[in-house]
Amino acid sequence: AAIDADLTWRISNKQRIDCVKEDPIKKAALENRPPLIKLMNSHYIPLTEVLSEMQVEGVRIDREFLAKNLTRLTIKERELETQILDKLKQDLNKDYEVSALSSNKELSNIFIGGYGLPKVKSTDGGDASTDKETMDKYKEMGNPVASLIVDYRDIAKAKSTYVGAFLDL
């Protein structure tokens, strides 16, 4: 325990020295802003202490509350899937599978080929992007499906990354 405490103290001192070297207090004063060391002392160090306690002690999870929210999010996700697929059938006169909603290639075909919208942005591979920024542009162009896709992705992300992950853990 003493070795751990000593090592932690040494690392902390080194980080403070590096912090002041990278962002000298005089430089921050000339730029009329607080120095980085102040941010480190007021936010970073206290946050590290809280996260350390959480790691050692754990956190309490209201499983019933999370399970209810998982159910709520699942229902909302299904409703959005149905709305999107119905709207695509109505607008483009074609049936799409739910898997199309998670396929960037199929979504880009829907928006560019189906709706005739322009290619706003490209992926690293050169394909048309369907990221949030692109969907927001399509929303601004008046495409209602783009808005539903953004909502659908937000719900799916919350469900899988946060609520579902906590329950699994």
Side-chain angles (χ1 to χ4, degrees):
I3 293 171
D4 285 348
D6 180 58
L7 187 58
T8 302
W9 179 80
R10 289 178 193 216
I11 291 171
S12 176
N13 278 342
K14 172 124 176 57
Q15 286 176 333
R16 289 174 189 278
I17 291 167
D18 290 347
C19 184
V20 172
K21 282 181 184 176
E22 285 182 31
D23 187 39
I25 295 171
K26 289 181 182 178
K27 179 183 174 191
L30 289 173
E31 294 174 358
N32 198 25
R33 62 174 175 77
L36 190 57
I37 190 74
K38 183 174 180 183
L39 176 67
M40 184 177 179
N41 289 332
S42 62
H43 297 296
Y44 179 72
I45 299 298
L47 177 62
T48 302
E49 291 170 2
V50 170
L51 292 174
S52 173
E53 285 179 34
M54 288 172 66
Q55 188 174 14
V56 171
E57 298 294 324
V59 292
R60 291 191 184 273
I61 302 285
D62 185 343
R63 293 187 63 78
E64 186 178 320
F65 175 78
L66 286 175
K68 285 179 185 175
N69 276 290
L70 184 63
T71 301
R72 183 181 60 82
L73 290 171
T74 300
I75 291 168
K76 183 66 178 168
E77 182 182 38
R78 296 283 149 67
E79 288 172 357
L80 285 169
E81 284 173 358
T82 303
Q83 285 178 9
I84 294 166
L85 296 175
D86 289 348
K87 183 71 174 148
L88 291 174
K89 181 168 177 68
Q90 176 188 347
D91 292 353
L92 304 177
N93 202 23
K94 183 178 176 186
D95 285 323
Y96 289 94
E97 298 291 324
V98 173
S99 60
L101 305 181
S102 58
S103 167
N104 290 331
K105 190 167 190 87
E106 285 197 56
L107 280 178
S108 63
N109 286 337
I110 289 168
F111 286 102
I112 296 169
Y115 284 107
L117 296 171
K119 183 177 177 179
V120 174
K121 191 171 147 183
S122 295
T123 64
D124 292 339
D127 295 327
S129 175
T130 60
D131 65 1
K132 185 169 179 6
E133 182 182 328
T134 301
M135 290 295 119
D136 287 340
K137 294 267 190 216
Y138 290 157
K139 275 175 31 179
E140 290 171 13
M141 293 176 190
N143 187 288
V145 175
S147 179
L148 292 171
I149 294 287
V150 169
D151 293 344
Y152 174 77
R153 286 177 172 173
D154 288 345
I155 296 291
K157 176 80 169 175
K159 180 184 153 196
S160 65
T161 304
Y162 303 108
V163 179
F166 272 125
L167 281 171
D168 290 343
L169 292 173

